[in-house]
Amino acid sequence: MAYVVDLRSDTVTKPTQAMKHAMVNSALGDDVYREDPTVNALESKLAALLGKQAALFVPSGTMANLIATMVHCNKRGSEAIVGNLSHIYKYEVGGAAHVAGVLLSTVANKPDGTFDLEELERRIRGDNIHEPITSMVAVENTHNVCGGKALPLKFLDDLGVVCKKYSLPLHMDGARLFNASEYLQVPARRVVRDCDSVSVCFSKGLSAPVGSALVGSCHFIEQARRVRKMLGGGMRQAGVLAGAALVALQEVVPQLALDHKRANILARTIEGMFLKSFSVDVENQHTNIVLVTISKDSSLTAEQVLQRLEQVCLAETQGDCKTTNDEGVIVKATEFDPKTIRFTLHREITDEDLWLAIMKITYVFKELHAAEK
């Protein structure tokens, strides 16, 4: 069997041994009655870590973002302003509109994940009877579609000023917040300082099997708890999941720098091939995500490249791509659009896995580039 290096996402990881131990041995209770000691410990720890008053454990990041939207935009006819490339807008199945009745209005994301604050101010609405009421602004950090970029602190500080000026709640989709904290070399609480609410994912980059959390003020979390119940997010003896999330904070967060280092090695390797068909913006590669752009002049598509990366030919098993059992290497990745491929590094990718992936990617990229020529 070929050796598989799965770089599709940092959600494909399995729980660590310490997580499995915690899941079996954590103290349990009914979380809807607020009696699960492990959930309570997780919520208290995360709130303190982010400098907020309280937290709420929920099944997923999508639910966390939806709850935040429903609490902040609690009047029918409200709108939330988000980036046009944000996860809330692109990848949450229109839940804000379908479930919450909230209009998502978009501002254009820049390549670094930020957006123009002057445009944001022009888009804020509230007094005109014909228009929806702007009730929330949301950002994503790190920004997935923009290549795992950490939002600059200066932008977040200036955005906080704008939101306070108009008394608008600021929500951060912090699915990969701790990656941003690692890149910026500041505590996570500094990154979210001006945010009224933050969602954090434990299964995206942190290796826990399930779970996210919503963090904010005590008043906000009390309202969020009610909405969670409405959405079916009350999980009863949820300590079996919260235990793994606690381990993620203790065990995996300190290791995120290794994911970033390996991602940077991969990005620099692809850049160093000097192939006109494939390019990487190494200078702006921040965290554990590597975006490879296929030249617009190339006839290749991301789908074609991904299919080839998952194939093993005889020449590979006899050359530099072979594994110790001579059966070749398969690399899995994700298509972002017809001309963009995403490789995502995570805890389960070792130095050996990275080396095998680099050999395979180098072989395939050179092969496809030569075929085009």
Side-chain angles (χ1 to χ4, degrees):
M1 255 182 103
Y3 190 88
V4 177
V5 183
D6 196 340
L7 302 179
R8 288 174 298 170
S9 176
D10 48 8
T11 62
V12 300
T13 52
K14 307 297 189 300
T16 66
Q17 287 301 315
M19 289 178 185
K20 293 177 181 178
H21 178 82
M23 293 171 73
V24 171
N25 295 286
S26 292
L28 303 178
D30 191 321
D31 181 49
V32 175
Y33 289 124
R34 309 189 192 188
E35 294 175 355
D36 190 300
T38 307
V39 172
N40 293 342
L42 172 65
E43 292 173 347
S44 296
K45 182 178 180 65
L46 188 62
L49 201 59
L50 301 191
K52 305 299 181 186
Q53 293 178 341
L56 183 69
F57 188 50
V58 300
S60 71
T62 295
M63 181 181 284
N65 289 333
L66 179 58
I67 292 172
T69 302
M70 293 176 72
V71 172
H72 291 313
C73 306
N74 55 13
K75 293 181 180 178
R76 302 294 289 185
S78 294
E79 79 170 350
I81 299 180
V82 301
N84 70 319
L85 300 178
S86 66
H87 195 280
I88 290 177
Y89 181 67
K90 287 177 66 70
Y91 300 122
E92 296 185 4
V93 208
H98 187 78
V99 180
V102 174
L103 172 68
L104 293 182
S105 295
T106 61
V107 289
N109 280 117
K110 298 178 182 179
D112 64 354
T114 66
F115 44 73
D116 187 276
L117 296 182
E118 291 184 0
E119 180 186 358
L120 172 65
E121 285 203 72
R122 290 194 297 270
R123 298 286 298 280
I124 294 171
R125 304 186 281 191
D127 294 332
N128 191 323
I129 194 172
H130 302 287
E131 297 180 337
I133 301 170
T134 305
S135 302
M136 182 184 88
V137 176
V139 292
E140 182 180 338
N141 201 14
T142 64
H143 203 291
N144 181 31
V145 174
C146 293
K149 291 185 176 63
L151 301 183
L153 290 176
K154 177 68 164 56
F155 167 77
L156 291 173
D157 293 347
D158 292 344
L159 175 60
V161 171
V162 172
C163 288
K164 285 181 174 61
K165 176 180 175 182
Y166 293 94
S167 300
L168 281 175
L170 174 59
H171 173 68
M172 180 179 289
D173 174 2
R176 295 184 176 94
L177 170 64
F178 292 104
N179 291 93
S181 171
E182 172 61 37
Y183 174 79
L184 295 169
Q185 289 294 289
V186 297
R189 64 191 299 143
R190 170 63 182 90
V191 180
V192 304
R193 183 188 66 188
D194 296 321
C195 297
D196 298 281
S197 59
V198 185
S199 63
V200 176
C201 186
F202 300 112
S203 64
K204 189 173 284 182
L206 301 187
S207 291
V210 179
S212 290
L214 193 56
V215 188
S217 68
C218 289
H219 178 67
F220 170 82
I221 292 299
E222 282 304 306
Q223 296 175 81
R225 190 178 298 276
R226 185 176 184 85
V227 176
R228 183 187 71 171
K229 180 65 177 173
M230 183 193 306
L231 297 176
M235 294 184 288
R236 303 301 177 181
Q237 288 73 34
V240 293
L241 301 175
L246 273 169
V247 173
L249 294 177
Q250 299 160 0
E251 179 182 83
V252 184
V253 169
Q255 301 299 315
L256 290 176
L258 293 175
D259 298 340
H260 296 187
K261 179 181 178 181
R262 291 178 179 125
N264 188 254
I265 291 171
L266 176 59
R268 290 185 180 280
T269 301
I270 295 172
E271 180 194 44
M273 294 181 201
F274 301 109
L275 301 176
K276 291 184 179 179
S277 300
F278 304 98
S279 62
V280 178
D281 184 2
V282 172
E283 183 180 348
N284 293 305
Q285 189 273 317
H286 289 181
T287 56
N288 64 321
I289 294 174
V290 178
L291 293 188
V292 178
T293 302
I294 301 171
S295 170
K296 63 181 180 181
D297 297 324
S298 170
S299 62
L300 289 170
T301 66
E303 182 180 5
Q304 290 171 328
V305 177
L306 293 181
Q307 287 178 351
R308 179 61 186 88
L309 285 171
E310 293 193 30
Q311 296 169 350
V312 176
C313 66
L314 181 61
E316 291 175 45
T317 62
Q318 298 173 344
D320 291 336
C321 275
K322 67 181 179 181
T323 58
T324 53
N325 60 0
D326 296 337
E327 293 185 351
V329 179
I330 287 173
V331 172
K332 294 184 176 183
T334 300
E335 176 187 347
F336 252 22
D337 61 49
K339 290 290 186 178
T340 308
I341 298 167
R342 185 187 77 171
F343 297 104
T344 307
L345 281 292
H346 50 79
R347 183 191 62 80
E348 292 186 349
I349 300 301
T350 64
D351 288 336
E352 181 182 2
D353 292 326
L354 176 63
W355 178 242
L356 291 172
I358 284 174
M359 287 194 297
K360 174 72 173 195
I361 292 166
T362 301
Y363 186 96
V364 169
F365 280 17
K366 286 183 177 181
E367 174 190 85
L368 295 175
H369 179 74
E372 282 227 298
K373 291 175 65 177

